[in-house]
Amino acid sequence: MKNNNKKVWSKRFNLGTSKSFERIGSSIKVDKRLYKEDLFASLIHTKMLMKKKIIPTKDGKKIINGLNKIKSQIEKGKFIFKEKYEDIHLNIEKKLFDLIGPSAGYMHTARSRNDQVVTDFKLWIKNSSKEIVNDLTEVMKTLIKKSENNIGTCMPGFTHLKNAQPISFAHYLLAYYEMLKRDKKRFLNNLELLDESPLGAAALSGTSYKIDRQYTAKKLGFKKPTDNSIDSVSDRDFAIDFLYASAVCAMHLSRLAEDFIILNSDAYKLISFKDNMLTGSSIMPQKKNPDPAELIRGRTGINYGKLNSLLTIMKGLPISYFKDLQDDKSLVFDGYDTLKDTLIMSNELIKSLKPSKERMLKMANEGYTTATDFADYLVKEKKISFRQSYMISSKLVNYAEKNKKTLDKLSLVELKKFYKDLDKNVMKIFKVKNSMNSKSSYGGTAEKNIKKMIRKYKREI
Ligand code: ARG
């Protein structure tokens, strides 16, 4: 078609666009990723325009054919995206003119790029959230599997990175299951919140054509159309919620990665990874470094950054559409790509993890980790107050420390120096596995609790 190489607004302008601004202002390199959503939304929009007799059926049919051709061209890598046409929406419209001629001019009736872009973007975030939820589910399944093999694996639980109380390694891993389960809910919650179609809000005020927004909403897979046209084109909450859910999820995985780095360090040596998840050093021949864990931890910064950037873009933006909003997409795409890789790496890393069970057990017995159990024993058996028993147990720890003994190596005679009325029954208190299994309160680390929880997790996942 003749003259189809000009910008749609060229008639109104006296000067061509500055070359540098054309490059900087164009978003096609980024938003071509929305091509599927854009074509789909245009298809539904066109069907609605035909159904409502807003455009002639013969032109509508040509548009639909053209859109299908464009789809296959893009998917075959034959579509040339042009910076000059700014974004995916105008690139597609221009191509449509090339393919079907003037009939293409009917497509943009009763809509604007403002409602078009939010519609596309919401559809993209919907699909991508589902992807993330699937990836999260995979990591959660891996955590369950690893846990099942480690219910009886006793390790030191830490607070302040100081040995605190013995716990099961499975219980430790399942703490992360809980975090990821909440992450999943955050993504799913956003899917519910964003489930309104903005298409038909047009530039900002709605349209005078007798469009059917219920129809387009339903066909696009939204629950209903949005209620306010101005909010429709200015709202980016769904992108912020997506980035927030991503940031929190990345934060959880970063904590897991940090745990792994510490537990794998030569100072701890409590876990190891298979060689396929490690890298060597260019100078130190002995090295095996847990790089994936470090990338998981480091890239959380990217996820935080994207969220912070979008919140900042939004904070001073007068209602309704401004070009500032164009950058929302690169932030969300980058956030998505980063988190996706993080989830893939996390899953593989957990799979390749091996706990050093003996060392864990030994370390669980260091640092007087059963001192609380002794205090609790005195409360339950001797009916003294916890504060009193706490004081007695403190003295016992001081004694053990001074004599360089672990608590389980103290004799009954030694124990009796701190509380006279004791018999040999007290000795079992200092076995770390007994301590672990005594924590049978709901949600506690006792093996029988963990077994119950794993059964529950398997049902719900
Ligand atoms: N590429 C634009 C964006 O992503 C599409 C909307 C353009 N609207 C406009 N009034 N310039 O935001």
Side-chain angles (χ1 to χ4, degrees):
M1 196 193 161
K2 260 203 293 173
N3 281 339
N4 188 35
N5 59 352
K6 296 215 172 75
K7 291 205 163 66
V8 290
W9 48 79
S10 63
K11 278 277 175 296
R12 166 99 175 104
F13 282 62
N14 297 323
L15 273 180
T17 317
S18 126
K19 278 293 149 209
S20 50
F21 167 60
E22 192 163 275
R23 176 181 62 78
I24 296 164
S26 157
S27 60
I28 186 63
K29 282 202 183 84
V30 172
D31 61 26
K32 65 179 179 196
R33 217 166 148 170
L34 293 176
Y35 83 88
K36 247 188 224 153
E37 290 77 10
D38 197 68
L39 288 165
F40 179 49
S42 287
L43 175 84
I44 299 302
H45 180 66
T46 306
K47 284 188 173 168
M48 182 277 293
L49 293 175
M50 285 160 68
K51 183 176 84 82
K52 298 295 290 179
K53 306 213 175 344
I54 296 169
I55 64 169
T57 307
K58 68 169 186 1
D59 298 292
K61 282 186 174 161
K62 278 194 190 171
I63 293 172
I64 291 170
N65 280 336
L67 291 173
N68 286 330
K69 266 194 204 129
I70 292 173
K71 188 163 186 218
S72 81
Q73 281 190 7
I74 294 177
E75 276 160 8
K76 283 183 192 141
K78 284 187 183 148
F79 191 103
I80 300 165
F81 294 99
K82 293 192 178 144
E83 214 161 59
K84 184 164 81 179
Y85 303 140
E86 271 198 31
D87 54 27
I88 185 66
H89 324 295
L90 289 175
N91 265 272
I92 287 176
E93 188 177 321
K94 281 288 179 186
K95 177 57 89 183
L96 196 63
F97 271 98
D98 276 346
L99 290 173
I100 67 167
S103 294
Y106 286 96
M107 184 171 69
H108 210 56
T109 315
R111 75 170 185 190
S112 147
R113 276 188 299 162
N114 295 354
D115 58 339
Q116 195 180 350
V117 74
V118 200
T119 306
D120 295 358
F121 202 21
K122 275 192 169 184
L123 289 173
W124 190 91
I125 289 188
K126 255 177 126 171
N127 290 333
S128 304
S129 300
K130 287 176 194 159
E131 277 277 312
I132 295 284
V133 165
N134 287 341
D135 294 343
L136 271 165
T137 306
E138 286 311 305
V139 182
M140 289 161 78
K141 281 184 186 161
T142 304
L143 282 169
I144 293 180
K145 228 183 194 162
K146 237 341 116 165
S147 302
E148 270 185 308
N149 297 327
N150 284 289
I151 297 171
T153 307
C154 185
M155 70 178 279
F158 306 102
T159 63
H160 312 266
L161 217 48
K162 300 282 286 177
N163 291 16
Q165 293 175 340
I167 56 169
S168 155
F169 185 53
H171 198 53
Y172 156 81
L173 290 173
L174 293 173
Y176 283 96
Y177 177 95
E178 289 286 337
M179 294 177 224
L180 299 184
K181 184 168 141 185
R182 290 194 295 272
D183 290 333
K184 215 158 129 173
K185 279 194 192 154
R186 263 182 281 273
F187 283 104
L188 294 172
N189 190 32
N190 187 32
L191 285 184
E192 203 150 295
L193 283 176
L194 68 67
D195 207 9
E196 297 184 351
S197 168
L199 192 63
L204 81 161
S205 62
T207 177
S208 58
Y209 296 98
K210 300 281 175 273
I211 58 171
D212 185 348
R213 293 193 63 206
Q214 297 288 347
Y215 173 88
T216 47
K218 201 171 151 245
K219 291 286 174 193
L220 288 170
F222 291 105
K223 206 184 281 165
K224 63 183 272 299
T226 49
D227 289 336
N228 180 296
S229 61
I230 303 173
D231 177 53
S232 307
V233 296
S234 353
D235 168 35
R236 292 296 182 278
D237 291 3
F238 61 94
I240 291 172
D241 284 349
F242 179 84
L243 289 175
Y244 171 66
S246 303
V248 176
C249 179
M251 176 271 287
H252 289 147
L253 295 168
S254 178
R255 293 184 75 176
L256 179 68
E258 170 73 356
D259 276 352
F260 285 178
I261 291 164
I262 293 170
L263 299 180
N264 176 250
S265 70
D266 288 322
Y268 281 75
K269 283 194 192 119
L270 291 183
I271 60 171
S272 59
F273 300 102
K274 289 192 192 137
D275 278 0
N276 65 343
M277 295 307 276
L278 301 169
T279 47
S281 152
S282 65
I283 174 172
M284 298 171 281
Q286 83 284 11
K287 291 281 269 176
K288 284 187 175 184
N289 298 325
D291 286 18
E294 293 163 24
L295 289 174
I296 291 165
R297 184 179 57 185
R299 287 181 183 176
T300 303
I302 298 177
N303 284 107
Y304 285 9
K306 304 299 165 186
L307 170 64
N308 206 12
S309 300
L310 190 53
L311 284 170
T312 310
I313 286 174
M314 297 304 292
K315 75 170 269 295
L317 208 61
I319 214 162
S320 61
Y321 180 86
F322 288 83
K323 194 72 161 187
D324 312 41
L325 292 171
Q326 181 164 276
D327 287 332
D328 57 359
K329 282 168 293 297
S330 72
L331 297 172
V332 167
F333 294 161
D334 289 351
Y336 170 81
D337 291 338
T338 307
L339 184 64
K340 178 125 184 117
D341 282 348
T342 289
L343 285 163
I344 292 170
M345 273 194 289
S346 303
N347 195 22
E348 283 199 37
L349 197 61
I350 300 164
K351 277 186 185 161
S352 93
L353 178 156
K354 263 199 353 238
S356 312
K357 297 188 183 184
E358 267 171 44
R359 221 184 120 67
M360 278 186 171
L361 188 64
K362 186 168 172 281
M363 199 167 178
N365 194 29
E366 288 164 13
Y368 318 103
T369 53
T370 52
T372 317
D373 299 88
F374 180 54
D376 289 339
Y377 176 85
L378 294 179
V379 169
K380 284 187 267 183
E381 299 296 321
K382 308 300 170 188
K383 309 291 173 222
I384 61 175
S385 82
F386 181 75
R387 272 291 156 257
Q388 212 186 338
S389 70
Y390 175 101
M391 196 184 66
I392 295 167
S393 185
S394 308
K395 288 182 185 160
L396 184 73
V397 171
N398 284 342
Y399 172 87
E401 190 177 49
K402 208 167 134 205
N403 291 278
K404 298 191 171 38
K405 284 184 175 178
T406 54
L407 292 179
D408 64 322
K409 288 289 176 301
L410 297 175
S411 67
L412 186 57
V413 179
E414 286 173 301
L415 293 173
K416 281 183 157 182
K417 287 188 200 161
F418 299 88
Y419 193 87
K420 269 200 205 84
D421 178 24
L422 287 173
D423 56 53
K424 65 176 188 339
N425 271 331
V426 71
M427 305 305 277
K428 65 176 188 300
I429 284 301
F430 300 106
K431 293 268 168 286
V432 288
K433 264 215 164 163
N434 291 340
S435 162
M436 177 179 109
N437 284 323
S438 73
K439 307 295 168 52
S440 56
S441 57
Y442 187 84
T445 192
E447 286 178 64
K448 66 172 201 291
N449 276 12
I450 299 170
K451 282 180 194 156
K452 252 189 238 159
M453 281 303 167
I454 289 180
R455 273 200 296 276
K456 170 169 124 62
Y457 292 153
K458 280 181 155 176
R459 273 198 305 273
E460 72 188 15
I461 202 161

